[in-house]
Amino acid sequence: MAGKISAASARAHTRKSKQNTSFKLLSGIFTKTLLVLFVGALAWAYQAIQPPPPKTCGSPDGPLITASRIKLRDGRHLAYKEHGVPLEAAKYKIVKVHGFDSCRLDAVPLSPELVERLGIYVVSFDRPGYGESDPNPKRTVKSMALDIEELADQLRLGSKFYVIGISMGGQVIWSCLKYIPHRLAGATLVAPVVNYWWSGFPTNLSNQAYQQMLPQDQWVLRVSHYAPWLTYWWNSQKWFPSSSVIAHSIDIFSSEDQKLLMKISSTRNHAAQVRQQGEYESLHRDLIVGFGAWEFSPLELDNPFPNNEGSVHVWHGDEDRLVPVTLQRYIAEQLPWIRYHELPGAGHLFMVADGMWDNIVKTLLVGEK
């Protein structure tokens, strides 16, 4: 009869319904499991890329405050150390800006004779997050120049002063030339670090210089520039090599630098203070700011001393394996007001050679070599 269903058909239909129900149940469990795993992976990834909070000096779990410090307008503290003749007796006043993985205690070792003869006062300070200066999570290229201006004002250095920056600190001098040129009596950049993404570099030139770095260091800079939120994770993970500079690898230095490293290590007894507040707001923040997108390019700067009332000097070794000399030469060619000093056979650490600092400072202050 039409419409009559056999017992076999009914049983088959029941089995099919149960199979469909079981499949849907398994599919739902599988989907939920994948979702849970995905959310878990995201949570793990989020935690992995979050840097730990800095151990700010003076906080309950932070290092003790031992340095002289000023309080900036935004509430941060800047630690500093004074060298040379007393400020009130000084003819020349210099603000020294330290490099990567360094601090205020890495001073400019001038001879006592030169200091007394010329009346030189030097103040070195910890850049934010280093040593005993408070971190600045909002640090920018511009903020560093403004920190220096405020330091000079609070210490009463006068309307004009000199600035000297070493390596990564050399980048800060470019920002001073951009944002506070009216406060400068002169400036010197010693083996200054170059940002490969500054506008104005020919692409082939910057690419060739970039390729001279170790592959692991190329990746460190790529991450800092294109994915700064991954900088902490990239430099703290153990799966593959990260920054050779942070790891203090001697392979990145020239043969001349390796000889000078022995001299540095024998006199540097404050290394533990450099990173004592944590690496993220010191080393990693340096990478993010220094190799990020700048608000300007140094290659576009105008002469800050059009009437020759001051001078800007760049010193570089032609065997520098950290900062390719080809880029430094190009900057000097594009900025004819730069007084460029290239040292044959010298590496990145040439400034610690005997008598070198006296030459650098005399050239800046009085034009003597």
Side-chain angles (χ1 to χ4, degrees):
M1 286 180 61
K4 188 173 181 179
I5 302 174
S6 68
S9 296
R11 286 193 297 270
H13 179 74
T14 301
R15 284 196 300 271
K16 188 174 182 180
S17 297
K18 288 181 178 180
Q19 289 172 352
N20 288 340
T21 301
S22 299
F23 177 77
K24 289 179 180 178
L25 181 62
L26 289 172
S27 177
I29 293 173
F30 182 69
T31 301
K32 290 179 180 178
T33 301
L34 281 180
L35 182 60
V36 169
L37 290 173
F38 178 69
V39 171
L42 283 180
W44 173 85
Y46 178 78
Q47 289 296 325
I49 66 175
Q50 297 304 305
K55 295 181 178 180
T56 307
C57 287
S59 64
D61 62 341
L64 295 175
I65 298 171
T66 63
S68 299
R69 307 202 306 175
I70 63 165
K71 188 173 183 179
L72 301 171
R73 284 186 292 268
D74 62 6
R76 289 182 295 114
H77 292 88
L78 213 61
Y80 67 93
K81 184 174 177 60
E82 296 173 292
H83 316 264
V85 302
L87 178 59
E88 59 273 11
K91 181 179 180 181
Y92 298 103
K93 300 155 191 174
I94 301 172
V95 178
K96 178 255 184 181
V97 188
H98 68 75
F100 188 78
D101 204 7
S102 184
C103 72
R104 72 189 185 284
L105 299 176
D106 291 312
V108 175
L110 298 174
S111 66
E113 295 78 14
L114 180 68
V115 170
E116 292 297 327
R117 177 165 67 88
L118 295 184
I120 300 172
Y121 163 93
V122 180
V123 58
S124 55
F125 70 99
D126 290 331
R127 293 193 284 110
Y130 281 103
E132 296 186 29
S133 285
D134 292 341
N136 183 9
K138 298 179 180 179
R139 188 177 5 148
T140 64
V141 174
K142 184 177 182 178
S143 72
M144 281 304 311
L146 301 183
D147 281 358
I148 289 174
E149 183 176 36
E150 194 168 353
L151 173 68
D153 287 342
Q154 291 205 33
L155 295 182
R156 302 182 184 279
L157 299 192
S159 60
K160 288 183 179 290
F161 49 88
Y162 295 85
V163 289
I164 296 178
I166 301 111
S167 191
M168 205 80 177
Q171 287 193 339
V172 178
I173 306 305
W174 289 124
S175 69
C176 291
L177 293 169
K178 170 67 176 179
Y179 296 113
I180 58 167
H182 57 289
R183 301 300 306 274
L184 304 182
T188 292
L189 299 84
V190 183
V193 170
V194 170
N195 184 324
Y196 297 88
W197 291 272
W198 283 338
S199 61
F201 280 136
T203 302
N204 64 328
L205 185 69
S206 58
N207 285 345
Q208 288 171 5
Y210 189 80
Q211 295 298 324
Q212 292 178 28
M213 289 187 292
L214 294 175
Q216 66 200 71
D217 293 325
Q218 294 179 33
W219 276 105
V220 167
L221 299 195
R222 282 192 193 102
V223 170
S224 301
H225 184 80
Y226 294 110
W229 44 275
L230 275 178
T231 301
Y232 167 73
W233 174 81
W234 191 271
N235 288 285
S236 58
Q237 52 75 34
K238 307 299 182 186
W239 297 346
F240 39 80
S242 54
S243 170
S244 60
V245 181
I246 292 177
H248 292 163
S249 170
I250 65 170
D251 296 335
I252 58 177
F253 292 103
S254 69
S255 57
E256 286 300 311
D257 279 345
Q258 292 184 26
K259 296 175 186 175
L260 293 170
L261 277 173
M262 297 177 64
K263 178 181 178 181
I264 295 172
S265 60
S266 66
T267 58
R268 198 174 193 240
N269 54 13
H270 52 267
Q273 293 189 39
V274 173
R275 309 183 186 185
Q276 65 181 353
Q277 298 186 82
E279 294 187 5
Y280 183 71
E281 286 297 343
S282 53
L283 308 181
H284 302 167
R285 186 68 66 186
D286 259 4
L287 295 172
I288 292 170
V289 174
F291 296 100
W294 278 41
E295 301 118 1
F296 72 96
S297 172
L299 287 91
E300 301 163 355
L301 288 175
D302 294 325
N303 184 356
F305 306 113
N307 300 316
N308 294 320
E309 64 273 29
S311 56
V312 180
H313 300 259
V314 173
W315 294 75
H316 209 80
D318 69 355
E319 294 294 329
D320 192 326
R321 293 177 57 183
L322 274 75
V323 185
V325 69
T326 52
L327 296 182
Q328 224 66 269
R329 289 170 181 164
Y330 187 81
I331 292 173
E333 290 170 1
Q334 299 306 302
L335 303 177
W337 43 269
I338 291 283
R339 301 185 186 183
Y340 180 59
H341 312 269
E342 186 173 304
L343 305 178
H348 192 69
L349 304 176
F350 66 85
M351 72 289 301
V352 303
D354 292 342
M356 196 66 228
W357 269 119
D358 278 16
N359 289 337
I360 292 170
V361 171
K362 280 191 297 183
T363 302
L364 171 65
L365 302 182
V366 295
E368 297 179 11
K369 278 194 181 183

